């Protein structure tokens, strides 16, 4: 357990998105149109499509976020909180190793069901982003209003739908949700594609080829700082062992020498002694937050080094003020001590189960 007041180095990170993300938009309005597949070919090899729109990203490798709108499309000025929920749905798909098409279906479904709001009311016992019903086996009320849990539940059922990647979105969404208005999902496909492109493009930063991501490579997805562990001392736990009066991070009880990895893409801003934190690494994340990894027995990265999700940054240990070996993990809004934010909420916002 950390005696340090837990500091998670702040964020503020520029996100070097290295992807070009074409939104392949079909011009047809027939729901029985020709089947199509997610394409992993480079953008230059993709033939022109009527109504095609492209979202540019720096770098040469493309990631396709395919959409095939059926019928008139509805536009909406999504607010920041609504975009954040779309990002969570997208991140969960990516963390499960699913292609962008899954996220498009998930986001479009939530647009229709809840207007991208994690609401605590609905028809009968319908709740959450997807208006899932506890009475129909979706989980407890607390679970279906948990965005990560409800998104995982949606994708579990989606994966069981025959030919879900090639069938019209509204057919697939209906197979998962069983809506009283089965055609209503169709109008949100283009809007969902736009939000997924933004979220996916700002997170998948390094891929060997477009195919690697579409085939399930999750190298660009976010990750927990250590694998196969759990949180013991929670965020804001009280006690005299912390100079601030409460725990400013979370602890993972792992033995000395356990591999510690970056939770996402970013740049190392500190790698070395950190007082009560012992040997620690601080990363400026691509989303503008900072993450800190403390009490390490060994550091394997250097200041100024760019890192990606799941890249090893050190080995756990018991350096600094500790009562035993573990990893102390923090998140912050800025580099200074005292700007800590809830690490569990932060990890969950990137589709991780903690």
């Amino acid at each position: 357990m950390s005696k340090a007041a837990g500091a998670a180095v702040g964020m503020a990170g520029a996100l070097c998105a290295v992807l070009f993300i074409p939104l392949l938009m079909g011009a047809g309005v027939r729901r029985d149109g020709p089947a199509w597949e997610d394409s992993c070919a480079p953008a230059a090899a993709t033939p022109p499509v009527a109504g095609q729109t492209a979202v540019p990203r720096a770098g040469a490798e493309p990631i396709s976020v395919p959409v095939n709108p059926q019928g008139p499309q509805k536009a909406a000025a999504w607010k920041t909180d609504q975009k954040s929920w779309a990002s969570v749905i997208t991140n969960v798909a990516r963390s499960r190793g699913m292609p962008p098409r899954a996220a498009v279906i998930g986001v479009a479904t939530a647009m229709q069901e809840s207007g991208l709001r994690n609401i605590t009311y609905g028809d009968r016992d319908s709740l959450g982003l997807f208006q899932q019903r506890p009475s129909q086996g979706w989980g407890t009320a607390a679970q279906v209003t948990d965005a990560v849990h409800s998104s995982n539940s949606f994708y579990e059922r989606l994966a069981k739908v025959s030919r879900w990647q090639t069938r019209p979105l509204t057919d697939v969404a209906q197979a998962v949700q069983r809506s009283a208005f089965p055609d209503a999902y169709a109008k949100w496909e283009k809007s969902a594609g736009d939000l997924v492109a933004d979220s996916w493009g700002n997170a998948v930063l390094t891929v060997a080829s477009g195919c690697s991501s579409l085939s399930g490579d999750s190298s660009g997805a976010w990750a927990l700082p250590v694998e196969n562990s759990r949180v013991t001392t929670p965020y804001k736990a009280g006690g005299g062992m912390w100079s601030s009066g409460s725990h400013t991070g979370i602890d993972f009880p792992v033995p000395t020498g356990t591999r510690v990895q970056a939770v996402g893409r970013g740049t190392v801003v500190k790698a070395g002694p950190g007082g009560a934190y012992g040997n620690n690494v601080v990363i400026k994340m691509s989303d503008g937050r900072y993450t800190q990894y403390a009490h390490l027995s060994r550091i394997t990265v250097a200041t100024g080094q760019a890192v990606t999700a799941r890249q090893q940054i050190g080995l756990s240990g018991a350096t600094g003020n500790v009562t035993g070996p573990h990893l102390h993990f923090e998140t912050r809004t800025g580099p200074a001590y005292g700007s800590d934010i809830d690490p569990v909420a932060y990890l969950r916002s990137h589709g991780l189960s903690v």
Side-chain angles (χ1 to χ4, degrees):
M1 171 179 324
S2 201
K3 289 185 179 179
V9 168
M11 48 158 245
L15 185 194
C16 307
V18 295
L19 298 178
F20 178 80
I21 307 179
L23 297 184
L24 306 180
M25 300 183 185
V29 295
R30 294 179 51 201
R31 292 187 53 220
D32 60 346
W36 52 277
E37 299 281 354
D38 282 355
S39 172
C40 57
T46 303
V49 179
Q52 177 173 314
T53 300
V55 179
R57 294 286 185 269
E61 298 296 343
I63 292 296
S64 294
V65 181
V67 296
N68 187 31
Q70 306 292 311
Q73 295 297 290
K74 187 174 180 63
W78 303 108
K79 297 180 179 179
T80 300
D81 61 324
Q82 293 168 302
K83 291 179 180 179
S84 295
W85 291 124
S87 182
V88 171
I89 297 170
T90 300
N91 288 329
V92 171
R94 200 176 61 249
S95 70
R96 295 177 67 90
M98 301 183 81
R101 180 63 181 171
V104 173
I105 297 169
V107 172
T109 300
M111 286 175 171
Q112 172 59 28
E113 296 292 345
S114 68
L116 283 179
R117 292 183 174 87
N118 198 23
I119 55 181
T120 56
Y121 59 88
D123 178 47
R124 285 165 285 190
D125 60 337
S126 300
L127 300 168
L129 285 167
F130 297 94
Q131 288 292 277
Q132 295 163 342
R133 297 179 60 189
S135 63
Q136 293 184 344
W138 285 98
T140 65
Q143 287 174 326
V144 298
T145 51
D146 179 314
V148 173
H149 183 279
S150 62
S151 296
N152 272 306
S153 296
F154 179 88
Y155 292 128
E156 286 172 6
R157 297 200 185 189
L158 173 65
K160 297 176 182 178
V161 176
S162 174
R163 299 182 294 106
W164 65 267
Q165 290 197 54
T166 59
R167 291 168 57 188
L169 181 149
T170 194
D171 289 351
V172 177
Q174 171 64 4
V176 176
Q177 293 286 119
R178 304 295 181 187
S179 171
F181 305 96
D183 293 325
Y185 303 108
K187 63 180 176 287
W188 297 112
E189 185 161 354
K190 181 183 180 299
S191 186
D194 290 340
L195 292 190
V196 170
D198 288 340
S199 297
W200 203 292
N202 288 344
V204 181
L205 301 173
T206 52
V207 293
S209 70
C211 294
S212 64
S213 178
L214 293 173
S215 62
D217 175 19
S218 57
S219 61
W222 291 71
L224 294 176
V226 291
E227 302 287 353
N228 303 315
S229 186
R230 69 190 191 284
V231 174
T232 50
T233 308
Y235 179 60
K236 291 302 184 184
M241 0 175 95
W242 300 290
S243 60
S244 66
S246 64
H247 198 212
T248 54
I250 54 177
D251 289 345
F252 292 89
V254 290
T256 296
T258 299
R259 182 180 185 277
V260 177
Q261 60 189 12
V263 298
R265 187 178 184 280
T267 302
V268 177
V269 297
K270 183 174 183 180
Y277 292 114
N279 297 325
N280 78 129
V281 171
V282 174
I283 300 175
K284 186 177 184 179
M285 305 305 295
S286 61
D287 66 354
R289 294 288 190 265
Y290 288 79
T291 55
Q292 181 194 36
Y293 313 75
H295 308 309
L296 304 177
S297 61
R298 181 184 176 191
I299 294 172
T300 57
V301 291
T303 300
Q305 180 178 339
V307 295
T308 57
R310 293 184 172 81
Q311 180 175 336
Q312 179 176 315
I313 59 173
L315 300 176
S316 65
T319 58
N321 293 343
V322 296
T323 58
H326 70 282
L327 173 70
H328 176 85
F329 175 78
E330 287 191 24
T331 55
R332 288 183 178 180
T333 61
Y337 173 77
S339 63
D340 53 278
I341 58 175
D342 185 352
V344 171
Y346 175 77
L347 293 172
R348 290 174 68 81
S349 73
H350 288 291
L352 299 168
S353 297
V354 185

